[in-house]
Amino acid sequence: MDHEPTISQDVSAKSGSPAKRRGLGRDVVVASICGGVVALMVGASYAAVPFYNWFCRATGFNGTTQVATSAPATGPIARKISVRFDSNVAPGLPWKFEPEQSEIEVNVGQVATVFYTVTNQAARATAGQAAYNVAPLTVGAYFQKINCFCFTEQTMAPGEKREMPVVFYVDPSIAADHENDGLSTITLSYTFYPVRDPVVKPLASGEGDKRKGNL
């Protein structure tokens, strides 16, 4: 009587094991690649914030103003520009914040000093940090600040009222930028945001904000 050939279960199991091992190997490789991509994306997200801030400061992108250490070497030129001042306070900060002048006219390259008035309307000490930009946004690269309350956190005593200066000029190099030939007005805008864990420092640190004329 003829018998059909049979394959033992042991042989069948052994013949399938290499495929299983290859499948597991692919899974490990795919998982490793996915993990590496996730780690790279997380690292990039943390690095993007300081890089973006540096890029804005270096280029004036998005209306970010520049920081100067002194008046321009070339001095003022005849061209005049009006500078308007805007003030805002974010929710959660009980401050009254406004410019003492809504607008001034300056020569390009002229160093000017203006003051904002800030009042803490709370019965407790509060702290804030000002964010800022200028409009049009393309002017950020030419708007130079020598001194500004926005450079540091501001801590206010209960009910305290303070005058805070901004010392600035419009860089004369704007005259060579023909995209701004028709520019006649710049708006400098500030928004104070609450600081939840302020840096502890004496309130006397605001003494440098007193009026001393142009700095």
Side-chain angles (χ1 to χ4, degrees):
M1 182 177 182
D2 295 335
H3 295 279
E4 294 183 0
T6 59
I7 300 175
S8 67
Q9 292 183 355
D10 292 341
V11 173
S12 175
K14 290 179 180 179
S15 64
S17 59
K20 291 182 179 180
R21 287 196 295 271
R22 285 195 297 271
L24 290 174
R26 285 195 298 270
D27 291 343
V28 171
V29 171
V30 171
S32 299
I33 292 173
C34 290
V37 170
V38 170
L40 181 62
M41 292 177 65
V42 171
S45 66
Y46 280 103
V49 174
F51 176 79
Y52 178 79
N53 290 337
W54 169 84
F55 176 79
C56 289
R57 290 194 301 270
T59 65
F61 179 75
N62 203 30
T64 303
T65 61
Q66 307 301 293
V67 178
T69 56
S70 62
T74 57
I77 62 177
R79 180 178 173 183
K80 292 183 178 292
I81 288 182
S82 295
V83 181
R84 295 174 179 171
F85 305 102
D86 177 53
S87 59
N88 306 276
V89 179
L93 188 62
W95 288 7
K96 182 180 179 182
F97 173 50
E98 57 189 2
E100 293 190 353
Q101 297 170 275
S102 60
E103 182 177 339
I104 64 172
E105 186 177 64
V106 296
N107 288 84
V108 172
Q110 173 190 345
V111 177
T113 301
V114 297
F115 288 85
Y116 279 75
T117 301
V118 184
T119 304
N120 179 15
Q121 298 178 314
R124 56 184 174 81
T126 53
Q129 175 78 55
Y132 53 88
N133 72 344
V134 292
L137 300 181
T138 55
V139 181
Y142 303 104
F143 200 95
Q144 302 280 349
K145 292 179 182 176
I146 298 176
N147 186 25
C148 182
F149 57 84
C150 59
F151 292 163
T152 58
E153 294 178 6
Q154 301 294 327
T155 301
M156 304 280 288
E160 180 184 2
K161 181 177 181 180
R162 186 185 302 171
E163 292 176 332
M164 297 182 177
V166 182
V167 184
F168 69 92
Y169 65 87
V170 180
D171 198 312
S173 63
I174 196 174
D177 184 353
H178 296 300
E179 291 185 1
N180 287 298
D181 282 348
L183 179 69
S184 60
T185 303
I186 296 172
T187 300
L188 174 61
S189 181
Y190 289 99
T191 300
F192 258 114
Y193 291 91
V195 175
R196 302 302 180 188
D197 298 306
V199 176
V200 178
K201 56 185 178 181
L203 293 177
S205 61
E207 290 179 356
D209 296 338
K210 296 178 181 178
R211 294 182 182 272
K212 295 181 181 179
N214 288 359
L215 300 182

